[in-house]
Amino acid sequence: MRIRAAVAAASGALALSALTAPAAHAGEAVRPASSLPVISKVSVNGGKDTVLGTTAPKTITLSVTASHASGIVDGWVLLWHGTDSDEGMDGALVPAGGATCRNASVATTVTCSLTLTIDPRTDLPKNKLAGSWHVLAGVAAKDGSSTSYDSYSTARVQRLSKLTVNAAPEPVKKGRTITVTGKLSRANWEDHAYHGYTGQPVKLQFRKKSSSTYTTVRTVRTNSTGNLKTTVKASVDGYWRYSFGGTSTTPAVTTAGDFVDVK
């Protein structure tokens, strides 16, 4: 498989059994399918999206659960980005060490876990890498058989988002105008700064002082620099906030409420 050589080149020296174990995936198995290990679950970051800012590394857990009559002795999981595992790969996120397989010596169904640390300054050099990544996963059994999939599933790696709100003036007379401003920005992995996220719908929400529930008042779209601005009439004391629903490349984010005292 060419992806093995590509991942090895992308990650440097690699002690990962995915690159050394016998390949046995769809179309390449040399044994009857019934005699090969069966993968039942692959997890990336506990099923949550992986979100990174501009500089701070993030460590997540990868795991693969599989079964075989002889037992499972090793497993591997890594993420790759692109259109094709042979020729179209433009990014790889590879664990630095091997897997820890619990109860491998006694159980026929085993979960093998790996730790992956992602540094946005070195591992995510382009903003186009935000979004869906392929999850390569495989396992090896005690009898020497193995099963591996170039793309068992997908997982999302996203650019961290930030959102602000300010409702003014404070206090304000009843019936007067309140101006609610804010800004939606997100991490730029190319220059390691935060820039406005343009043209995005953001909900303006309000909660009365006596209530615990926010209600959407209207949807405001960010301008060319990610800024938000709208006006409302002051009626009762309460909290104003902005809420962004997120996209495939950028996670949802909601501000804390900004209290306005209405006289």
Side-chain angles (χ1 to χ4, degrees), residues 3 63 86 90-91 110 113 143 235:
I3 189 173
S63 67
D86 287 341
D90 58 7
V110 172
S113 300
D143 70 352
S235 56

Side-chain angles (χ1 to χ4, degrees), residues 141-189:
K142 286 183 181 179
D143 70 352
S145 62
S146 65
T147 299
S148 183
Y149 296 89
D150 283 359
S151 186
Y152 182 88
S153 59
T154 59
R156 292 202 302 194
V157 179
Q158 298 181 310
R159 298 161 59 183
L160 180 65
S161 55
K162 295 183 178 182
L163 185 60
T164 63
V165 66
N166 182 55
E170 307 171 52
V172 63
K173 290 184 178 181
K174 186 175 182 179
R176 293 289 183 89
T177 297
I178 298 172
T179 300
V180 187
T181 57
K183 183 170 185 176
L184 175 64
S185 59
R186 60 175 176 167
N188 186 307
W189 292 337

Side-chain angles (χ1 to χ4, degrees), residues 93-230:
L93 300 173
V94 185
T100 299
C101 300
R102 292 187 176 182
N103 301 320
S105 61
V106 296
T108 56
T109 299
V110 172
T111 296
C112 298
S113 300
L114 304 99
T115 298
L116 170 63
T117 298
I118 308 170
D119 188 334
R121 295 166 297 183
T122 56
D123 298 320
L124 301 169
K126 297 293 183 180
N127 290 324
K128 69 177 184 178
L129 295 176
S132 181
W133 286 63
H134 299 275
V135 181
L136 180 150
V139 293
K142 286 183 181 179
D143 70 352
S145 62
S146 65
T147 299
S148 183
Y149 296 89
D150 283 359
S151 186
Y152 182 88
S153 59
T154 59
R156 292 202 302 194
V157 179
Q158 298 181 310
R159 298 161 59 183
L160 180 65
S161 55
K162 295 183 178 182
L163 185 60
T164 63
V165 66
N166 182 55
E170 307 171 52
V172 63
K173 290 184 178 181
K174 186 175 182 179
R176 293 289 183 89
T177 297
I178 298 172
T179 300
V180 187
T181 57
K183 183 170 185 176
L184 175 64
S185 59
R186 60 175 176 167
N188 186 307
W189 292 337
E190 297 177 14
D191 65 6
H192 312 301
Y194 283 85
H195 298 279
Y197 197 5
T198 66
Q200 297 303 309
V202 180
K203 293 179 180 179
L204 174 67
Q205 299 179 328
F206 178 72
R207 173 172 71 86
K208 292 181 180 179
K209 183 180 179 179
S210 59
S211 172
S212 60
T213 303
Y214 276 93
T215 300
T216 297
V217 176
R218 65 173 63 108
T219 297
V220 185
R221 193 168 291 272
T222 59
N223 67 9
S224 60
T225 56
N227 289 316
L228 295 156
K229 184 177 181 180
T230 190

Side-chain angles (χ1 to χ4, degrees), residues 249-261:
T249 63
T250 310
V253 61
T254 299
T255 68
D258 186 18
F259 182 74
V260 174
D261 181 14

